[in-house]
Amino acid sequence: MKYHSVTRVSIEVLLDEFGRTEVIDNTLNPNFVRKFFLDFFFEEKQNLRFDVYNVDSRSSNISKFDFLGQTFCTLGEIIGSTGGRLENSLSGIPGKKLGAIIFTAEELSNCRDIATMQLCANKLDKKDFFGKSDPFLVFYRSNEDGTFTICHKTEVVKNTLNPVWQPFTIPVRALCNGDYDRTVKVDVYDWDRDGSHDFIGEFTTSYRDFSRGQNQFNVYEVSHKCLFIFRSIQCIPKVTLLSFKVESEYTFLNLCYVTGDPSQPTSLHYMNPYQMNAYAMALKAVGDIIQDYDSDKLFPAYGFGAKLPPDGKISHAFPLSGDNENPNCVGIEGVLEAYFQSLRTVQLYGPTNFSPVINQVARSAQDVTDGSQYFVLLMITDGVISDMLQTKEAVVNAAALPMSIIIIGVGPAEFDAMEELDGDEVRVSFRGHFAERDIVQFVPFRDYMDRSGNQVLSMARLAKDVLAEIPEQLLGFMKTRGIEPRPALTTSDLPDLHRHI
């Protein structure tokens, strides 16, 4: 028996094979249907490797396949990309252009329903020269950016213009991710052995329409955008929903994130009425000291990594005050108040992207380079950074501005990657360009926690270390810019240390 050239992608997680896509015949542009469900933990760096193979035998031994290329990324990179869509070039064969692979990711809704449906069609177009057509259906879920993601293919029904497909089952979250009014597009194709399937037409619907079951509204005219054929109403090709039912899928556990519900003691953001959590301790420890050098005591404070009300939009730089026009909080107590209030109104959400907040403060700093103001950005995080490349670029650019960055890691996560940003040994670089100055200081808060539980002592130790480099960084900027102290300055004339949270 002859085997056709086919394509398959293998996914490896930390060198353990996680799964394989289905095989698609005779194509250089495969669109894989099989989905992979991974638990995403934004406090961990989840490394992924994708290998692409040409399969020309029935063997399941991957070493017998032709290697077409591979790419590496993290789960956080995919989720953190615009629209949850990441395109990576393939590599692994020197001297050859191997094409690219596109990943899409979407958070699963809590919907656990399973839909089972059956469809048929009538009077489809004849596409085969020696026969009729071999029709099959392809279902697509619409995305927020207007694109479509394939979510199901039916079987092929051979040599008929009036096919009846077998009932099939699909998770409702795969079809619409719990949004019952999201557009579902269905393409009708005539199957060809060489993989160049003929497009017959398409129609659109929604899960809500499907859920109404068999009725006059679930009979769809199949249209072809690029083909204008004049025919009577009786001859228009149509697809009909024959049956539809929904069942609930029950699971023992649901996904959870380490940050969790701030009202629960397991959360790092837990609002304990008797003592401060690690975030609040870090804010107060650093803020109580540095606020003495800020004349107006107004501190812009931002959160990063949350879904915001009312529509659940994800943001990596939102004002804790809730006011986009005025992110300022009055004093450190005002910052703490805004922080606790935001925990009651937003939904904590990964990945952990640093660059948006760094760039936000940099835009303010670039307007004041005469030495009259110096900006200190304090970032507190419990997650491993997800946008390292973008953050390196942001730090390199910020090093030329009057600003410093303090990063405090809280919780049990591994923060090894953060050391790369703390350029004590080697300056941060991006695409061959090195940071002009070392402006980042990183410390894990757990290293400063007093064993006896004395919070005051823990906070004092933390503040002493993280603030120790600020005076030298400020002086370094002034010196490289040729800015000298002005004689006989009053206290009100001294440069402000503008602090951002």
Side-chain angles (χ1 to χ4, degrees), residues 150-363:
I150 189 170
C151 57
H152 182 74
K153 284 182 183 178
T154 67
E155 80 282 7
V156 176
V157 181
K158 292 292 190 72
N159 196 33
T160 179
L161 302 182
N162 303 293
V164 178
W165 290 281
Q166 291 294 319
F168 67 90
T169 298
I170 182 172
V172 171
R173 63 191 181 197
L175 191 65
C176 67
N177 204 24
D179 179 0
Y180 293 172
D181 296 308
R182 181 183 293 206
T183 298
V184 175
K185 183 167 74 79
V186 183
D187 288 350
V188 186
Y189 284 95
D190 167 50
W191 178 85
D192 287 330
R193 186 178 298 275
D194 63 3
S196 59
H197 310 307
D198 299 317
F199 181 66
I200 295 176
E202 66 179 19
F203 65 90
T204 60
T205 181
S206 68
Y207 171 82
R208 191 177 299 280
D209 287 340
F210 273 151
S211 66
R212 296 188 175 103
Q214 185 181 22
N215 61 46
Q216 60 181 339
F217 301 106
N218 276 324
V219 178
Y220 302 96
E221 294 184 359
V222 177
S223 61
H224 195 308
K225 294 180 180 178
C226 302
L227 191 63
F228 297 94
I229 300 176
F230 295 96
R231 43 186 154 196
S232 67
I233 294 177
Q234 291 79 10
C235 295
I236 295 175
K238 296 178 181 178
V239 171
T240 301
L241 179 68
L242 292 178
S243 64
F244 185 92
K245 69 176 182 178
V246 180
E247 297 175 320
S248 293
E249 178 187 49
Y250 297 99
T251 60
F252 180 67
L253 292 176
N254 291 323
L255 295 176
C256 63
Y257 297 105
V258 165
T259 48
D261 184 347
S263 65
Q264 298 300 316
T266 54
S267 170
L268 292 168
H269 290 279
Y270 178 50
M271 294 180 284
N272 190 323
Y274 303 107
Q275 64 181 17
M276 291 184 289
N277 63 34
Y279 281 86
M281 289 171 62
L283 279 170
K284 188 167 179 59
V286 177
D288 278 348
I289 292 176
I290 206 169
Q291 71 174 345
D292 291 342
Y293 301 89
D294 189 292
S295 59
D296 62 12
K297 303 295 188 292
L298 295 177
F299 303 123
Y302 298 92
F304 55 102
K307 287 185 174 182
L308 307 184
D311 56 0
K313 181 180 179 181
I314 300 169
S315 175
H316 298 288
F318 61 92
L320 296 184
S321 65
D323 185 350
N324 289 318
E325 301 300 322
N326 181 20
N328 289 326
C329 300
V330 180
I332 295 306
E333 293 304 319
V335 174
L336 287 168
E337 184 180 344
Y339 161 61
F340 287 123
Q341 180 59 34
S342 71
L343 290 179
R344 299 182 181 96
T345 58
V346 306
Q347 177 189 347
L348 303 175
Y349 190 83
T352 304
N353 289 349
F354 278 21
S355 59
V357 171
I358 296 175
N359 291 329
Q360 177 90 15
V361 177
R363 285 191 288 271

Side-chain angles (χ1 to χ4, degrees), residues 89-116:
S89 297
L90 294 171
S91 61
I93 303 179
K96 288 189 66 176
K97 290 186 177 181
L98 304 177
I101 186 169
I102 299 172
F103 311 104
T104 57
E106 187 173 27
E107 181 190 18
L108 293 178
S109 73
N110 289 326
C111 178
R112 298 290 179 181
D113 292 343
I114 301 292
T116 301

Side-chain angles (χ1 to χ4, degrees), residues 378-411:
L378 170 63
M379 303 185 73
I380 307 172
T381 179
D382 59 10
V384 174
I385 187 169
S386 300
D387 62 338
M388 179 58 83
L389 284 178
Q390 295 90 332
T391 297
K392 285 183 179 180
E393 180 181 19
V395 170
V396 169
N397 293 336
L401 300 172
M403 66 179 285
S404 294
I405 302 171
I406 297 171
I407 303 173
I408 299 176
V410 299

